Amino acid sequence: MTVGIGVTGATGRMGREVVAAVADREDCEVAFAVNRDPDGGDVDGVELEAAARFDALLSEREPDAVIDFTGPESAVDYARACAETGVAFVTGTTGFDDDGLAALEDAGAEVPILHAPNFARGVQALVNVVGQAVRNLPGYDVELVETHHNGKRDAPSGTANRLLEEIEENGEFAGRTHGREGEAPREDGEIGVHALRAGDITGEHEILLAGNDEEVRLTHRAEDRGVFAAGAVDAAVWIAGRKAGSYDFADVIDE
Ligand SMILES: NC(=O)C1=CN([C@@H]2O[C@H](COP(=O)(O)OP(=O)(O)OC[C@H]3O[C@@H](n4cnc5c(N)ncnc54)[C@H](OP(=O)(O)O)[C@@H]3O)[C@@H](O)[C@H]2O)C=CC1
Ligand SMILES: O=C(O)C1=N[C@H](C(=O)O)C[C@H](O)C1
């Protein structure tokens, strides 16, 4: 079976990668690719359609899944449209507020929804090991540094927030300190969080644990956005045809 995939934000940094990743595989095909101002253009030879026609395209082309890397507002709109038409929805978009996350959860009651802040398999491995490191090193100072390109909207990154949740679940901490300035000595138990934005850096996350005259640095560096696109396409192929529910990238990897 060939999995038909609709792509949103198709002219974005990630949308382009997703179209290319789908085209590279034999088990799926692009059902449609939308952006807000298609202007007769294409991505990798795939004709662009107007995002305003998204709902109509779901009915006309009947994709098995949609892959979305856009912004939190549009991702929620796209998820709702998929829920109404019975199409599975995979989103790598980050920066959702609580209402946005709740809207994705609601859509998951109608169709399969998979939301992951990072589709790199190495990041999933990092999430798994960071909890163990924190458990093994109680009382060590923890700092997280994430570095991304200068066009990124949200900070800290979705991945950083996921890693912070894992850190907090596995140790006793006083809270997060976002950057430091002026008279700002480190408080016991705080987790320092630092977001760097420069150039076209794909995405780096480092957790530093220090104490007891030693330091541990756990680092993931994505060298190409293709790694995220490949994971998202794996997720779309995996989710197509599944029952309604809210899924995670760990479900794809662990199966
Ligand atoms: N989970 C993961 O592995 C990864 C997640 N991301 C996340 O993916 C998202 C997109 O990142 P990136 O590709 O770099 O961003 P870009 O800004 O390069 O692209 C975003 C695309 O989304 C579209 N878009 C934005 N807002 C709207 C809207 N209101 N309605 C319709 N379309 C909209 C834009 O479309 P148009 O061209 O029409 O303006 C644009 O093509 C971010 O949230 C980022 O954090 C990024 C990389 C990996
Ligand atoms: O915006 C990006 O580029 C990325 N965003 C994701 C995030 O916010 O964690 C994942 C990746 O690091 C790239």
Side-chain angles (χ1 to χ4, degrees):
M1 171 194 150
T2 304
V3 176
I5 297 177
V7 183
T8 61
T11 48
R13 276 176 285 264
M14 279 307 302
R16 288 179 180 279
E17 294 285 345
V18 171
V19 170
V22 172
D24 269 358
R25 289 177 58 143
E26 290 185 351
D27 57 350
C28 50
E29 63 188 11
V30 178
F32 62 78
V34 297
N35 80 332
R36 282 180 292 188
D37 184 16
D39 201 21
D42 71 279
V43 172
D44 244 31
V46 175
E47 187 192 349
L48 288 166
E49 316 257 2
R53 293 203 65 247
F54 182 75
D55 297 27
L57 288 164
L58 290 178
S59 305
E60 289 166 19
R61 308 275 171 88
E62 299 183 339
D64 298 293
V66 164
I67 298 181
D68 167 84
F69 287 89
T70 57
E73 306 83 6
S74 41
V76 164
D77 290 344
Y78 289 138
R80 286 190 173 127
C82 284
E84 277 166 22
T85 36
V87 176
F89 186 70
V90 171
T91 182
T93 297
T94 57
F96 293 100
D97 59 15
D98 289 346
D99 289 347
L101 292 173
L104 291 183
E105 201 63 32
D106 288 349
E110 308 298 327
V111 291
I113 300 275
L114 193 150
H115 170 223
N118 200 307
F119 280 104
R121 284 168 183 260
V123 162
Q124 194 56 49
L126 179 61
V127 169
N128 293 339
V129 299
V130 75
Q132 171 151 18
V134 169
R135 282 197 305 281
N136 290 351
L137 305 172
Y140 281 42
D141 294 335
V142 179
E143 299 270 318
L144 186 151
V145 183
E146 55 98 336
T147 310
H148 286 86
H149 54 92
N150 59 23
K152 185 161 178 60
R153 281 173 64 181
D154 54 318
S157 68
T159 310
N161 284 325
R162 178 73 190 83
L163 289 163
L164 288 164
E165 284 167 14
E166 199 65 21
I167 291 165
E168 288 163 346
E169 278 168 22
N170 283 281
E172 298 213 354
F173 295 98
R176 305 177 187 179
T177 297
H178 294 271
R180 292 190 184 85
E181 188 183 21
E183 179 77 16
R186 197 174 207 290
E187 303 287 343
D188 275 351
E190 74 183 14
I191 306 173
V193 184
H194 311 276
L196 281 55
R197 298 286 177 265
D200 192 34
I201 295 168
T202 305
E204 297 176 13
H205 294 86
E206 180 168 84
I207 300 116
L208 164 65
L209 302 105
N212 189 33
D213 295 326
E214 60 179 348
E215 64 181 60
V216 175
R217 289 174 189 265
L218 301 171
T219 308
H220 179 274
R221 186 170 297 115
E223 290 172 356
D224 189 292
R225 289 188 180 90
V227 72
F228 307 130
V233 177
D234 286 344
V237 169
W238 179 89
I239 207 173
R242 286 192 188 258
K243 64 178 194 308
S246 295
Y247 297 93
D248 194 68
F249 191 43
D251 298 320
V252 180
I253 290 179
D254 292 346
E255 192 169 84

